[in-house]
Amino acid sequence: MSVLASIDLNTLGDAFGLGAIYALMAVGIGLVFGVLRLVNFAYGQLIMAGAYTLAYTTSWPVTASIVACFAVVVALSLAMDRLVFRPLRSSSPAVMLVTTFAVSFLLQAVALIIDLRDGTLGEVASAVAPLNQAITVGGVDIRKVTFVAVGVALGALVALALVLARTTIGLHTRAAASDFRTARLLGVRANRVIGFAVVVSGLLAGAVAVLLTVQNPFVQPAFALEDTIVVLVGVVVGGIDRLWTATLGGFAIGFVSVLVNAALPTDQTIFLPSVVYALVIVVLLLRPAGLFAWGRRAAMERV
Amino acid sequence: MPEAAALELDEVEVRYGSVSAVRNLSLRVGKAEIVGLIGPNGAGKSTTLHAVMGLLPAHRGEIRLHGQPLRRRSAESIARAGIALVPEGRRIFGDFTVEENLRLGLAARRKGYMGDPLAPAFELFPVLREFRRRPAGALSGGQQQQLAIGRALVSRPDILLLDEPSLGLAPLAVDGIFKAFTEIREVGTTILLVEQRAQRTVALASRTHVLVGGELRMTLGPADAEDTEKIIAAYLAS
Amino acid sequence: MRLPFDALTELLGPALLVILVGALATTASASNEGYFLNALVSVSVVVAIYVFVGISGVLSFGQISFVAVGAFAAGVMSVPVESKKGVLTSIFPFLRDHSVGNVPSLLLAAALGGAFAFLVGMPLMRLSGLAAGIATFAVLEITHNVLREWDKIGPGATTLALVPETTGALQATLGALVAIVVAFLYQRSRRGRLLRASREDPAVARSVGVNIHLERLLAFTLSGALAGFAGGLYVHLLGSITTEQVYLELTFLTLAMLVIGGLTSLWGAVIGALAVSGLDSFLSRAEQSGVHVVYTFNLWEGTRLVFLAAIMALVLIVRPSGLTGGREFRLRRIPWRGRWAGASPKPPG
């Protein structure tokens, strides 16, 4: 009971907020994995690039700043696909993953050079900061960004679910994720499907950049790096073979991190990572195909 | 000068590494014709279909669609050029609905068709219309094969390649799909049929080629269908 | 164990290359020597990772945990007793009151690395694929978290300093040679060949009675011991260390070295470690003062990492099987090439 007692509505709000943001990142990573079988470690640097764009356009009107953020992230996502993912399409998973490490370091190194032009490390993205203010709901202070994050995540997930279920490109994407060879045999255009996944994944990274800079307006080259690692862990724990289990995994790891943090005694929170990662190991040992991967053929359909 | 064949293989050789699976294979399939390809396991029948579809490169020789060479085109572009393959093992998407599976077939359809795009499948196999909302994995084996053929037909192909469509089906279901092949030909579609049921294939097709060890051994006509000994001899001729 | 001529060249190639780098280190100026020593310690770390990842084919992000354990064990136990009371104030008394010499500290590092790997590996070696990758990554996170926060076993979040800098040219070279010889003997042994066979085809290996779990655990433990040993060499090279130096960046860099060299061969591990270290050293020099090789390379400040990452990505895109193609060192190119890079090839004719 002591664990539950230490969790108040405020914490719950934060847990939903972070879970929602991580769920969006999980979709972005899971969608590209579905069609390319590639774990994109450099996903965090798309978000970082978006955050820098927000920082450098702080003087612009908010809408223009956000549009610029999306434009930069999507363009970078497409460039990554063209220059890195496509040439690697037939390589082994280890090679693809390690190449995205290199891309991740490359983008961080470039960001560092751009950032240091003004002589100081880090930039402040404050255009959307007002969302960080708290509003009072039933006597409890909850930050506005929590509602925005949950709203954006739900909206984006519902929209994506509809596109995947109802449109031709959605059908083709699901088919490609399930059995790429047969999909191509039927005339599904591989490049179009991959392009779709890459653009949507970029759009989601743009949205995450906006939401994360509200919580933490201080942007530096390692921005979103740690979040990406945590989400990658969550995605595999949830079950990377299907988009929805991956998304749930992303949500769960964000949600649980906040709750465990609140439940641990104050002087023990330093061991939070150990507790969370020990849980990760236990879950992987019990359900190696994914926590949420129920059913007969866990790996049949991957989106 | 004679009209170009719908599909033509000209001295085609296909290799897996240093082993050639198909050697010096030439054959012609005319418009609205059914041509059979039979032979023992490992004779190179599926390999031939895969080469036509662009899934395997032809090491030598040429494959032509309406006289146009298909060299170095990807499977997806060959599909959109009017060749549809019903692969061995059906390869339907079990978690998708029947209708979604059929709609995937539309990916290769060329422009200019009116009306219900799924009609070619529904007219031939009414059961697919009835079960259109069900997950494809819940269909029986025969129905799944009908779905796989229907999915190929909705792309309105000029040429239908069938890879052992009767494999693993109950006798009644086999009757059903063989009857369908005749109907498919009647609307003007060309069929290249790879089969293990030699006698039925020889009876149905205008010509049936026997492939043994990657090479064309013999060509049989419908009149040979009753001549069981001749068919067996063709298989053993190595 | 039979060691035909081709097998010996497989060992001699990497060994002679390492000795050459060691020899160059002794002739280099004091400011350049560090680059060579660093490259040699990188060889030890990457060969340790290769022993598990390369031979078993299972991805692990956790091997740097064992480097970290080895580095801190060797480091903490090598700081002279009289200095410890001042720098490691909250440490357990029995750790505070004892110190060991250089070689015992390296053996201790290897033993602890191996023991830790064995304990972790027992449950984890049942996993494969991405699940194994993430579970071993979780081990890295937990190791880093505990080393960083628990100041009774080490310096915690502060820097561990005053470690004797005993990893000179001789020790770095010998250390790398030890790692190479152990890896070579293992991959040539029956067990090593069984594990490699299981990488090619787990189902077949299982069907002929190979206990994959056990074979993987053995490789993981051996890899952990070599990684701990390499961690000992590393801390004795640096003289001072923080937990951040044996964490994410080192994990990614060493894995990149292995993949760039060629994941599936010992030769690839050595070449990858030396090539990437060499490139990094070259770029650092070019950034600091310019390097003259035919043309004077003079890098704009801060661009070293950009070039390093870009070249690594480019190599992987152009040559996904690595610089060596994942093959072992051979004196002459023989037309027959085994499916298993480690299997003894028959001499032609």
Side-chain angles (χ1 to χ4, degrees), chain A residues 41 83 87 91 95 97 99 101-102 105-106 109 113 229 236 270-271 274 277 281 284-285, chain C residues 61 123-124 126-127 131 134-135 137-138 141-142 145 252 256 302 305-306 309 316-317 320:
Chain A
F41 187 80
L83 298 175
S91 300
V95 170
L97 184 59
T99 312
F101 290 165
F105 284 122
L106 175 66
I113 292 172
I229 292 174
V236 173
I270 49 170
F271 289 112
S274 292
Y277 282 105
I281 290 178
L284 284 172
L285 286 174
Chain C
F61 296 106
L124 258 50
R126 296 198 342 243
L127 300 171
I134 296 295
F137 178 73
E141 288 285 355
I142 293 173
N145 185 231
F252 298 143
L305 286 175
V306 177
L316 290 169
I317 290 168

mmCIF file of all heavy atoms in Angstrom, chain A residues 41 83 87 91 95 97 99 101-102 105-106 109 113 229 236 270-271 274 277 281 284-285, chain C residues 61 123-124 126-127 131 134-135 137-138 141-142 145 252 256 302 305-306 309 316-317 320:
data_model
loop_
_atom_site.group_PDB
_atom_site.id
_atom_site.type_symbol
_atom_site.label_atom_id
_atom_site.label_comp_id
_atom_site.label_asym_id
_atom_site.label_seq_id
_atom_site.Cartn_x
_atom_site.Cartn_y
_atom_site.Cartn_z
ATOM 1 N N PHE A 41 18.509 3.703 -34.567
ATOM 2 C CA PHE A 41 19.029 4.314 -33.358
ATOM 3 C C PHE A 41 19.093 5.832 -33.498
ATOM 4 O O PHE A 41 19.063 6.555 -32.503
ATOM 5 C CB PHE A 41 20.420 3.754 -33.053
ATOM 6 C CG PHE A 41 20.967 4.203 -31.749
ATOM 7 C CD1 PHE A 41 20.571 3.592 -30.576
ATOM 8 C CD2 PHE A 41 21.865 5.252 -31.671
ATOM 9 C CE1 PHE A 41 21.050 4.009 -29.348
ATOM 10 C CE2 PHE A 41 22.352 5.685 -30.450
ATOM 11 C CZ PHE A 41 21.943 5.059 -29.287
ATOM 12 N N LEU A 83 20.010 8.153 -48.159
ATOM 13 C CA LEU A 83 21.469 8.013 -48.103
ATOM 14 C C LEU A 83 21.927 6.800 -47.305
ATOM 15 O O LEU A 83 23.003 6.273 -47.531
ATOM 16 C CB LEU A 83 22.095 9.274 -47.481
ATOM 17 C CG LEU A 83 21.861 10.574 -48.238
ATOM 18 C CD1 LEU A 83 22.422 11.753 -47.471
ATOM 19 C CD2 LEU A 83 22.522 10.488 -49.608
ATOM 20 N N PRO A 87 20.607 2.031 -49.156
ATOM 21 C CA PRO A 87 21.771 1.210 -49.502
ATOM 22 C C PRO A 87 21.939 0.005 -48.571
ATOM 23 O O PRO A 87 22.552 -0.984 -48.941
ATOM 24 C CB PRO A 87 22.953 2.168 -49.337
ATOM 25 C CG PRO A 87 22.376 3.535 -49.375
ATOM 26 C CD PRO A 87 20.976 3.419 -48.884
ATOM 27 N N SER A 91 21.359 -5.573 -45.883
ATOM 28 C CA SER A 91 22.420 -5.904 -44.920
ATOM 29 C C SER A 91 21.850 -6.607 -43.692
ATOM 30 O O SER A 91 20.648 -6.652 -43.482
ATOM 31 C CB SER A 91 23.141 -4.633 -44.480
ATOM 32 O OG SER A 91 23.713 -3.994 -45.578
ATOM 33 N N VAL A 95 24.607 -4.831 -38.823
ATOM 34 C CA VAL A 95 25.231 -3.778 -39.628
ATOM 35 C C VAL A 95 24.314 -2.556 -39.709
ATOM 36 O O VAL A 95 24.745 -1.416 -39.556
ATOM 37 C CB VAL A 95 25.562 -4.310 -41.041
ATOM 38 C CG1 VAL A 95 25.984 -3.176 -41.958
ATOM 39 C CG2 VAL A 95 26.658 -5.356 -40.961
ATOM 40 N N LEU A 97 22.025 -1.608 -37.592
ATOM 41 C CA LEU A 97 21.959 -0.933 -36.297
ATOM 42 C C LEU A 97 23.220 -0.120 -36.043
ATOM 43 O O LEU A 97 23.161 1.050 -35.653
ATOM 44 C CB LEU A 97 21.741 -1.972 -35.192
ATOM 45 C CG LEU A 97 21.550 -1.421 -33.790
ATOM 46 C CD1 LEU A 97 20.348 -0.489 -33.753
ATOM 47 C CD2 LEU A 97 21.338 -2.563 -32.800
ATOM 48 N N THR A 99 25.285 1.068 -38.193
ATOM 49 C CA THR A 99 25.336 2.224 -39.085
ATOM 50 C C THR A 99 24.476 3.356 -38.534
ATOM 51 O O THR A 99 24.860 4.524 -38.616
ATOM 52 C CB THR A 99 24.874 1.847 -40.507
ATOM 53 O OG1 THR A 99 25.546 0.664 -40.895
ATOM 54 C CG2 THR A 99 25.200 2.946 -41.492
ATOM 55 N N PHE A 101 23.991 3.904 -35.430
ATOM 56 C CA PHE A 101 24.808 4.518 -34.349
ATOM 57 C C PHE A 101 25.675 5.613 -34.955
ATOM 58 O O PHE A 101 25.760 6.726 -34.439
ATOM 59 C CB PHE A 101 25.819 3.533 -33.730
ATOM 60 C CG PHE A 101 25.258 2.430 -32.902
ATOM 61 C CD1 PHE A 101 26.042 1.333 -32.574
ATOM 62 C CD2 PHE A 101 23.966 2.481 -32.414
ATOM 63 C CE1 PHE A 101 25.553 0.303 -31.808
ATOM 64 C CE2 PHE A 101 23.469 1.447 -31.643
ATOM 65 C CZ PHE A 101 24.262 0.358 -31.347
ATOM 66 N N ALA A 102 26.372 5.244 -36.037
ATOM 67 C CA ALA A 102 27.296 6.184 -36.656
ATOM 68 C C ALA A 102 26.549 7.429 -37.124
ATOM 69 O O ALA A 102 27.018 8.556 -36.934
ATOM 70 C CB ALA A 102 28.022 5.518 -37.819
ATOM 71 N N PHE A 105 25.815 9.596 -34.124
ATOM 72 C CA PHE A 105 26.975 10.372 -33.684
ATOM 73 C C PHE A 105 27.276 11.493 -34.668
ATOM 74 O O PHE A 105 27.617 12.601 -34.271
ATOM 75 C CB PHE A 105 28.197 9.468 -33.524
ATOM 76 C CG PHE A 105 28.133 8.638 -32.284
ATOM 77 C CD1 PHE A 105 28.177 7.257 -32.348
ATOM 78 C CD2 PHE A 105 28.010 9.240 -31.031
ATOM 79 C CE1 PHE A 105 28.102 6.488 -31.191
ATOM 80 C CE2 PHE A 105 27.941 8.481 -29.874
ATOM 81 C CZ PHE A 105 27.986 7.092 -29.951
ATOM 82 N N LEU A 106 27.134 11.203 -35.955
ATOM 83 C CA LEU A 106 27.392 12.206 -36.981
ATOM 84 C C LEU A 106 26.487 13.419 -36.766
ATOM 85 O O LEU A 106 26.940 14.563 -36.746
ATOM 86 C CB LEU A 106 27.162 11.594 -38.365
ATOM 87 C CG LEU A 106 27.266 12.536 -39.554
ATOM 88 C CD1 LEU A 106 28.687 13.022 -39.701
ATOM 89 C CD2 LEU A 106 26.843 11.834 -40.831
ATOM 90 N N ALA A 109 27.444 15.366 -33.754
ATOM 91 C CA ALA A 109 28.668 16.141 -33.961
ATOM 92 C C ALA A 109 28.380 17.386 -34.795
ATOM 93 O O ALA A 109 28.901 18.478 -34.514
ATOM 94 C CB ALA A 109 29.715 15.262 -34.645
ATOM 95 N N ILE A 113 28.694 21.499 -33.630
ATOM 96 C CA ILE A 113 29.395 22.564 -34.341
ATOM 97 C C ILE A 113 28.474 23.764 -34.561
ATOM 98 O O ILE A 113 28.836 24.923 -34.317
ATOM 99 C CB ILE A 113 29.923 22.045 -35.699
ATOM 100 C CG1 ILE A 113 31.027 21.025 -35.450
ATOM 101 C CG2 ILE A 113 30.425 23.179 -36.555
ATOM 102 C CD1 ILE A 113 31.497 20.309 -36.688
ATOM 103 N N ILE A 229 16.796 5.834 -26.312
ATOM 104 C CA ILE A 229 17.293 4.543 -25.827
ATOM 105 C C ILE A 229 16.217 3.860 -24.991
ATOM 106 O O ILE A 229 15.922 2.673 -25.162
ATOM 107 C CB ILE A 229 18.591 4.750 -25.015
ATOM 108 C CG1 ILE A 229 19.709 5.210 -25.945
ATOM 109 C CG2 ILE A 229 18.986 3.470 -24.298
ATOM 110 C CD1 ILE A 229 20.990 5.594 -25.247
ATOM 111 N N VAL A 236 11.068 -3.058 -27.724
ATOM 112 C CA VAL A 236 11.421 -4.480 -27.788
ATOM 113 C C VAL A 236 10.702 -5.242 -26.671
ATOM 114 O O VAL A 236 10.203 -6.349 -26.883
ATOM 115 C CB VAL A 236 12.951 -4.673 -27.700
ATOM 116 C CG1 VAL A 236 13.301 -6.149 -27.584
ATOM 117 C CG2 VAL A 236 13.609 -4.074 -28.923
ATOM 118 N N ILE A 270 18.111 7.261 -6.784
ATOM 119 C CA ILE A 270 19.328 7.145 -7.588
ATOM 120 C C ILE A 270 19.428 5.771 -8.224
ATOM 121 O O ILE A 270 20.091 5.586 -9.225
ATOM 122 C CB ILE A 270 20.592 7.429 -6.746
ATOM 123 C CG1 ILE A 270 20.553 6.633 -5.450
ATOM 124 C CG2 ILE A 270 20.759 8.908 -6.489
ATOM 125 C CD1 ILE A 270 21.857 6.674 -4.675
ATOM 126 N N PHE A 271 18.756 4.775 -7.644
ATOM 127 C CA PHE A 271 18.820 3.432 -8.223
ATOM 128 C C PHE A 271 17.636 3.137 -9.149
ATOM 129 O O PHE A 271 17.409 1.991 -9.524
ATOM 130 C CB PHE A 271 18.926 2.373 -7.120
ATOM 131 C CG PHE A 271 20.263 2.395 -6.436
ATOM 132 C CD1 PHE A 271 20.379 2.802 -5.117
ATOM 133 C CD2 PHE A 271 21.417 2.048 -7.123
ATOM 134 C CE1 PHE A 271 21.627 2.846 -4.495
ATOM 135 C CE2 PHE A 271 22.657 2.086 -6.516
ATOM 136 C CZ PHE A 271 22.759 2.489 -5.195
ATOM 137 N N SER A 274 18.354 1.051 -12.233
ATOM 138 C CA SER A 274 18.560 -0.373 -11.945
ATOM 139 C C SER A 274 17.235 -1.101 -11.792
ATOM 140 O O SER A 274 17.065 -2.215 -12.287
ATOM 141 C CB SER A 274 19.384 -0.545 -10.672
ATOM 142 O OG SER A 274 20.691 -0.088 -10.893
ATOM 143 N N TYR A 277 15.511 -1.351 -15.287
ATOM 144 C CA TYR A 277 16.169 -2.298 -16.192
ATOM 145 C C TYR A 277 16.120 -3.727 -15.670
ATOM 146 O O TYR A 277 16.117 -4.680 -16.452
ATOM 147 C CB TYR A 277 17.598 -1.848 -16.501
ATOM 148 C CG TYR A 277 17.606 -0.748 -17.522
ATOM 149 C CD1 TYR A 277 17.849 0.571 -17.171
ATOM 150 C CD2 TYR A 277 17.301 -1.018 -18.849
ATOM 151 C CE1 TYR A 277 17.822 1.587 -18.106
ATOM 152 C CE2 TYR A 277 17.268 -0.014 -19.799
ATOM 153 C CZ TYR A 277 17.529 1.294 -19.423
ATOM 154 O OH TYR A 277 17.485 2.289 -20.351
ATOM 155 N N ILE A 281 14.672 -6.910 -17.775
ATOM 156 C CA ILE A 281 15.288 -8.242 -17.934
ATOM 157 C C ILE A 281 14.285 -9.332 -17.570
ATOM 158 O O ILE A 281 14.135 -10.327 -18.286
ATOM 159 C CB ILE A 281 16.560 -8.349 -17.067
ATOM 160 C CG1 ILE A 281 17.656 -7.455 -17.652
ATOM 161 C CG2 ILE A 281 17.054 -9.792 -16.991
ATOM 162 C CD1 ILE A 281 18.940 -7.447 -16.865
ATOM 163 N N LEU A 284 11.734 -9.696 -20.341
ATOM 164 C CA LEU A 284 12.303 -10.328 -21.539
ATOM 165 C C LEU A 284 12.515 -11.821 -21.330
ATOM 166 O O LEU A 284 12.332 -12.621 -22.252
ATOM 167 C CB LEU A 284 13.639 -9.667 -21.904
ATOM 168 C CG LEU A 284 13.528 -8.307 -22.564
ATOM 169 C CD1 LEU A 284 14.891 -7.667 -22.706
ATOM 170 C CD2 LEU A 284 12.873 -8.427 -23.933
ATOM 171 N N LEU A 285 12.907 -12.211 -20.099
ATOM 172 C CA LEU A 285 13.111 -13.631 -19.841
ATOM 173 C C LEU A 285 11.785 -14.380 -19.871
ATOM 174 O O LEU A 285 11.706 -15.507 -20.355
ATOM 175 C CB LEU A 285 13.795 -13.830 -18.491
ATOM 176 C CG LEU A 285 15.281 -13.466 -18.458
ATOM 177 C CD1 LEU A 285 15.828 -13.550 -17.046
ATOM 178 C CD2 LEU A 285 16.065 -14.385 -19.380
ATOM 179 N N PHE C 61 25.021 -5.736 -26.114
ATOM 180 C CA PHE C 61 25.449 -4.382 -25.789
ATOM 181 C C PHE C 61 25.999 -4.345 -24.370
ATOM 182 O O PHE C 61 26.196 -3.291 -23.811
ATOM 183 C CB PHE C 61 24.290 -3.403 -25.900
ATOM 184 C CG PHE C 61 23.752 -3.276 -27.273
ATOM 185 C CD1 PHE C 61 22.537 -3.840 -27.611
ATOM 186 C CD2 PHE C 61 24.468 -2.618 -28.245
ATOM 187 C CE1 PHE C 61 22.040 -3.731 -28.891
ATOM 188 C CE2 PHE C 61 23.984 -2.515 -29.531
ATOM 189 C CZ PHE C 61 22.765 -3.069 -29.857
ATOM 190 N N PRO C 123 20.945 -16.752 -16.780
ATOM 191 C CA PRO C 123 19.576 -16.573 -17.283
ATOM 192 C C PRO C 123 19.523 -15.999 -18.707
ATOM 193 O O PRO C 123 18.686 -16.403 -19.505
ATOM 194 C CB PRO C 123 18.958 -15.583 -16.291
ATOM 195 C CG PRO C 123 20.107 -14.843 -15.706
ATOM 196 C CD PRO C 123 21.266 -15.799 -15.691
ATOM 197 N N LEU C 124 20.430 -15.059 -19.037
ATOM 198 C CA LEU C 124 20.266 -14.297 -20.278
ATOM 199 C C LEU C 124 20.600 -15.073 -21.551
ATOM 200 O O LEU C 124 20.116 -14.728 -22.634
ATOM 201 C CB LEU C 124 21.147 -13.032 -20.228
ATOM 202 C CG LEU C 124 20.407 -11.737 -19.919
ATOM 203 C CD1 LEU C 124 19.522 -11.892 -18.706
ATOM 204 C CD2 LEU C 124 21.374 -10.601 -19.731
ATOM 205 N N ARG C 126 19.574 -17.627 -22.674
ATOM 206 C CA ARG C 126 18.437 -18.291 -23.325
ATOM 207 C C ARG C 126 17.857 -17.408 -24.424
ATOM 208 O O ARG C 126 17.099 -17.875 -25.265
ATOM 209 C CB ARG C 126 17.345 -18.580 -22.296
ATOM 210 C CG ARG C 126 17.803 -19.550 -21.230
ATOM 211 C CD ARG C 126 16.640 -20.176 -20.473
ATOM 212 N NE ARG C 126 15.396 -19.470 -20.595
ATOM 213 C CZ ARG C 126 14.760 -18.897 -19.555
ATOM 214 N NH1 ARG C 126 15.278 -18.944 -18.349
ATOM 215 N NH2 ARG C 126 13.616 -18.300 -19.736
ATOM 216 N N LEU C 127 18.201 -16.106 -24.369
ATOM 217 C CA LEU C 127 17.601 -15.169 -25.325
ATOM 218 C C LEU C 127 18.449 -15.068 -26.582
ATOM 219 O O LEU C 127 19.643 -15.321 -26.568
ATOM 220 C CB LEU C 127 17.484 -13.786 -24.686
ATOM 221 C CG LEU C 127 16.630 -13.699 -23.430
ATOM 222 C CD1 LEU C 127 16.772 -12.332 -22.790
ATOM 223 C CD2 LEU C 127 15.178 -13.972 -23.782
ATOM 224 N N ALA C 131 15.863 -9.378 -28.385
ATOM 225 C CA ALA C 131 15.630 -9.540 -26.950
ATOM 226 C C ALA C 131 16.962 -9.676 -26.220
ATOM 227 O O ALA C 131 17.171 -9.073 -25.158
ATOM 228 C CB ALA C 131 14.744 -10.757 -26.696
ATOM 229 N N ILE C 134 18.682 -6.212 -26.082
ATOM 230 C CA ILE C 134 18.129 -5.290 -25.092
ATOM 231 C C ILE C 134 18.410 -5.772 -23.669
ATOM 232 O O ILE C 134 18.721 -4.973 -22.777
ATOM 233 C CB ILE C 134 16.610 -5.110 -25.320
ATOM 234 C CG1 ILE C 134 16.347 -4.450 -26.682
ATOM 235 C CG2 ILE C 134 15.994 -4.278 -24.214
ATOM 236 C CD1 ILE C 134 16.868 -3.042 -26.822
ATOM 237 N N ALA C 135 18.346 -7.079 -23.425
ATOM 238 C CA ALA C 135 18.616 -7.586 -22.074
ATOM 239 C C ALA C 135 20.069 -7.319 -21.683
ATOM 240 O O ALA C 135 20.344 -6.911 -20.544
ATOM 241 C CB ALA C 135 18.305 -9.080 -22.008
ATOM 242 N N PHE C 137 21.858 -4.960 -22.868
ATOM 243 C CA PHE C 137 21.933 -3.507 -22.687
ATOM 244 C C PHE C 137 21.453 -3.136 -21.280
ATOM 245 O O PHE C 137 22.030 -2.257 -20.622
ATOM 246 C CB PHE C 137 21.082 -2.801 -23.739
ATOM 247 C CG PHE C 137 21.066 -1.310 -23.584
ATOM 248 C CD1 PHE C 137 22.172 -0.560 -23.924
ATOM 249 C CD2 PHE C 137 19.969 -0.662 -23.059
ATOM 250 C CE1 PHE C 137 22.181 0.814 -23.758
ATOM 251 C CE2 PHE C 137 19.962 0.709 -22.891
ATOM 252 C CZ PHE C 137 21.066 1.448 -23.244
ATOM 253 N N ALA C 138 20.412 -3.829 -20.806
ATOM 254 C CA ALA C 138 19.902 -3.571 -19.456
ATOM 255 C C ALA C 138 20.990 -3.866 -18.422
ATOM 256 O O ALA C 138 21.121 -3.158 -17.415
ATOM 257 C CB ALA C 138 18.655 -4.413 -19.192
ATOM 258 N N GLU C 141 23.234 -0.896 -18.274
ATOM 259 C CA GLU C 141 22.607 0.207 -17.538
ATOM 260 C C GLU C 141 22.678 -0.033 -16.033
ATOM 261 O O GLU C 141 22.965 0.880 -15.253
ATOM 262 C CB GLU C 141 21.145 0.363 -17.972
ATOM 263 C CG GLU C 141 20.970 0.933 -19.373
ATOM 264 C CD GLU C 141 21.249 2.439 -19.417
ATOM 265 O OE1 GLU C 141 21.479 3.052 -18.367
ATOM 266 O OE2 GLU C 141 21.241 2.990 -20.537
ATOM 267 N N ILE C 142 22.387 -1.266 -15.609
ATOM 268 C CA ILE C 142 22.392 -1.562 -14.175
ATOM 269 C C ILE C 142 23.820 -1.465 -13.638
ATOM 270 O O ILE C 142 24.061 -0.863 -12.580
ATOM 271 C CB ILE C 142 21.793 -2.967 -13.920
ATOM 272 C CG1 ILE C 142 20.298 -2.969 -14.273
ATOM 273 C CG2 ILE C 142 21.991 -3.374 -12.462
ATOM 274 C CD1 ILE C 142 19.639 -4.327 -14.233
ATOM 275 N N ASN C 145 24.741 2.144 -13.389
ATOM 276 C CA ASN C 145 23.992 2.790 -12.315
ATOM 277 C C ASN C 145 24.582 2.435 -10.943
ATOM 278 O O ASN C 145 24.795 3.296 -10.094
ATOM 279 C CB ASN C 145 22.523 2.366 -12.418
ATOM 280 C CG ASN C 145 21.621 3.081 -11.422
ATOM 281 O OD1 ASN C 145 20.869 2.445 -10.709
ATOM 282 N ND2 ASN C 145 21.706 4.403 -11.345
ATOM 283 N N PHE C 252 29.250 1.725 -28.050
ATOM 284 C CA PHE C 252 28.951 1.949 -29.466
ATOM 285 C C PHE C 252 30.223 1.963 -30.296
ATOM 286 O O PHE C 252 30.275 1.389 -31.386
ATOM 287 C CB PHE C 252 28.183 3.261 -29.640
ATOM 288 C CG PHE C 252 26.865 3.250 -28.936
ATOM 289 C CD1 PHE C 252 26.370 4.388 -28.321
ATOM 290 C CD2 PHE C 252 26.108 2.090 -28.875
ATOM 291 C CE1 PHE C 252 25.148 4.364 -27.660
ATOM 292 C CE2 PHE C 252 24.893 2.057 -28.217
ATOM 293 C CZ PHE C 252 24.420 3.202 -27.614
ATOM 294 N N ALA C 256 31.126 -0.705 -33.142
ATOM 295 C CA ALA C 256 31.352 -0.192 -34.495
ATOM 296 C C ALA C 256 32.687 -0.698 -35.023
ATOM 297 O O ALA C 256 32.799 -1.092 -36.184
ATOM 298 C CB ALA C 256 31.313 1.334 -34.502
ATOM 299 N N GLY C 302 36.478 20.898 -34.125
ATOM 300 C CA GLY C 302 35.175 20.300 -33.832
ATOM 301 C C GLY C 302 34.679 19.364 -34.911
ATOM 302 O O GLY C 302 33.659 18.709 -34.744
ATOM 303 N N LEU C 305 34.788 14.543 -34.975
ATOM 304 C CA LEU C 305 33.726 13.559 -34.786
ATOM 305 C C LEU C 305 32.842 13.435 -36.024
ATOM 306 O O LEU C 305 32.352 12.354 -36.338
ATOM 307 C CB LEU C 305 32.872 13.917 -33.573
ATOM 308 C CG LEU C 305 33.545 13.646 -32.228
ATOM 309 C CD1 LEU C 305 32.685 14.150 -31.088
ATOM 310 C CD2 LEU C 305 33.812 12.151 -32.074
ATOM 311 N N VAL C 306 32.652 14.561 -36.720
ATOM 312 C CA VAL C 306 31.846 14.517 -37.941
ATOM 313 C C VAL C 306 32.498 13.584 -38.957
ATOM 314 O O VAL C 306 31.853 12.699 -39.516
ATOM 315 C CB VAL C 306 31.683 15.935 -38.540
ATOM 316 C CG1 VAL C 306 30.914 15.866 -39.848
ATOM 317 C CG2 VAL C 306 30.996 16.855 -37.546
ATOM 318 N N ALA C 309 32.485 9.796 -37.696
ATOM 319 C CA ALA C 309 31.171 9.148 -37.830
ATOM 320 C C ALA C 309 30.819 8.958 -39.295
ATOM 321 O O ALA C 309 30.311 7.909 -39.699
ATOM 322 C CB ALA C 309 30.105 9.972 -37.120
ATOM 323 N N LEU C 316 30.457 1.181 -43.694
ATOM 324 C CA LEU C 316 29.416 0.170 -43.493
ATOM 325 C C LEU C 316 28.469 0.102 -44.678
ATOM 326 O O LEU C 316 27.974 -0.966 -45.030
ATOM 327 C CB LEU C 316 28.639 0.468 -42.215
ATOM 328 C CG LEU C 316 29.457 0.229 -40.945
ATOM 329 C CD1 LEU C 316 28.741 0.786 -39.742
ATOM 330 C CD2 LEU C 316 29.716 -1.254 -40.776
ATOM 331 N N ILE C 317 28.216 1.255 -45.313
ATOM 332 C CA ILE C 317 27.301 1.257 -46.451
ATOM 333 C C ILE C 317 27.982 0.623 -47.667
ATOM 334 O O ILE C 317 27.390 -0.174 -48.392
ATOM 335 C CB ILE C 317 26.829 2.701 -46.757
ATOM 336 C CG1 ILE C 317 25.896 3.172 -45.635
ATOM 337 C CG2 ILE C 317 26.124 2.773 -48.094
ATOM 338 C CD1 ILE C 317 25.596 4.644 -45.654
ATOM 339 N N PRO C 320 29.309 -3.699 -46.256
ATOM 340 C CA PRO C 320 28.549 -4.143 -45.078
ATOM 341 C C PRO C 320 29.182 -5.340 -44.366
ATOM 342 O O PRO C 320 28.941 -5.542 -43.186
ATOM 343 C CB PRO C 320 27.187 -4.536 -45.655
ATOM 344 C CG PRO C 320 27.152 -3.980 -47.023
ATOM 345 C CD PRO C 320 28.549 -3.780 -47.487
#
